[in-house]
Amino acid sequence: MRGFTRASHREVHSGNRAAWLRAAVLGADDGIVSTASLMLGVAAAGASHTAVVTAGLAGLVAGAMSMAAGEYVSVSSQRDSERADLRIEKRELADDVEGERAELKRIYEDRGLSSELAATVAGQLMERDALAAHARDELGLDPQALARPLQAALVSAASFAAGASQPLLFEILAPAGLRVPAILAATLLALLLLGSLGAYLGGAPISKGAIRVLIGGSAAMAVTWLIGSLAGAAGL
């Protein structure tokens, strides 16, 4: 094609954002919803402003630590599994390199290459980096981009704290008679924005992502408010 250059055909995909995007969106959504719900439930029970703020602060700190620990354990397990698969593949390459070459050839044949071309491609890729070729095309892994538990933990904790700080700030700054409405309005708006941002960064329909997050968060706050009201009415 005339005028075509490599620089003019630069595609931007969303798949490479999947790991950190998942951790960030999940953490922020959890921070907003859980902290707002906790504070609204305590407020519905008739607690004082100080008690509501204390509950919000406790929820922020505990939630951020819990998200970090949970993500670290989960992603560490994923990374351990990936490393175990790579060790097995490395051992198989050392024990039966020709069998592994034939296996890679069959993979390329199944993808539509001719037998001759599949053999050529498998041979050249194995000469360059046999483990990387098998990791990528047999296991679906990139040895240079394994799961990162510490990154996931930090992103989850930071995003949770950022989300949780929103209802907490409105409880602290809003006038006494408007604290609950302010938390509700700000939380719903934050959920809409978060859902839209997550969908945009992930390449998904924005309206669908926003509505999905909004419905889930609204349901959580409504249930917690109801439980707090019942607890307050019962004098618990």
Side-chain angles (χ1 to χ4, degrees):
M1 183 179 296
R2 183 178 300 176
F4 178 85
T5 64
R6 184 178 181 86
S8 67
H9 186 66
R10 184 170 298 171
E11 297 178 346
V12 178
H13 298 282
S14 303
N16 59 345
R17 302 187 183 124
W20 68 263
L21 180 60
R22 168 188 165 277
V25 172
L26 177 62
D29 179 71
D30 198 8
I32 294 171
V33 174
S34 63
T35 305
S37 298
L38 176 63
M39 294 171 65
L40 289 172
V42 173
S48 66
H49 169 65
T50 300
V52 174
V53 171
T54 301
L57 284 171
L60 187 156
V61 175
M65 297 298 293
S66 177
M67 285 291 292
E71 279 293 311
Y72 187 84
V73 171
S74 174
V75 179
S76 292
S77 298
Q78 177 186 342
R79 186 185 60 180
D80 291 342
S81 177
E82 292 172 344
R83 287 178 170 175
D85 285 341
L86 289 175
R87 286 194 299 269
I88 292 172
E89 198 61 35
K90 188 175 182 180
R91 184 170 62 248
E92 290 177 347
L93 284 167
D95 294 341
D96 185 12
V97 66
E98 290 305 319
E100 292 298 300
R101 190 190 308 273
E103 184 178 27
L104 199 59
K105 173 177 174 289
R106 286 195 298 272
I107 291 174
Y108 297 143
E109 288 176 337
D110 291 341
R111 293 180 182 176
L113 297 185
S114 66
S115 179
E116 294 78 8
L117 182 56
T120 300
V121 172
Q124 290 183 355
L125 289 178
M126 287 190 65
E127 287 177 5
R128 181 176 182 179
D129 191 333
L131 180 60
H134 279 270
R136 179 182 60 250
D137 294 319
E138 182 182 348
L139 303 176
L141 298 176
D142 181 354
Q144 305 302 319
L146 299 182
R148 300 176 179 178
L150 183 58
Q151 179 190 63
L154 292 175
V155 169
S156 294
S159 58
F160 184 98
S165 64
Q166 177 265 329
L168 186 59
L169 285 175
F170 275 89
E171 171 66 24
I172 294 173
L173 300 177
L178 298 176
R179 284 170 183 153
V180 170
I183 291 175
L184 280 172
T187 299
L188 294 176
L189 178 59
L191 290 174
L192 277 173
L193 293 175
L194 178 64
S196 300
L197 178 61
Y200 172 76
L201 292 176
I206 292 178
S207 59
K208 182 178 180 180
I211 293 173
R212 181 169 52 201
V213 172
L214 180 63
I215 291 175
S218 299
M221 288 188 293
V223 170
T224 311
W225 175 269
L226 176 61
I227 293 174
S229 299
L230 294 175
L236 299 178

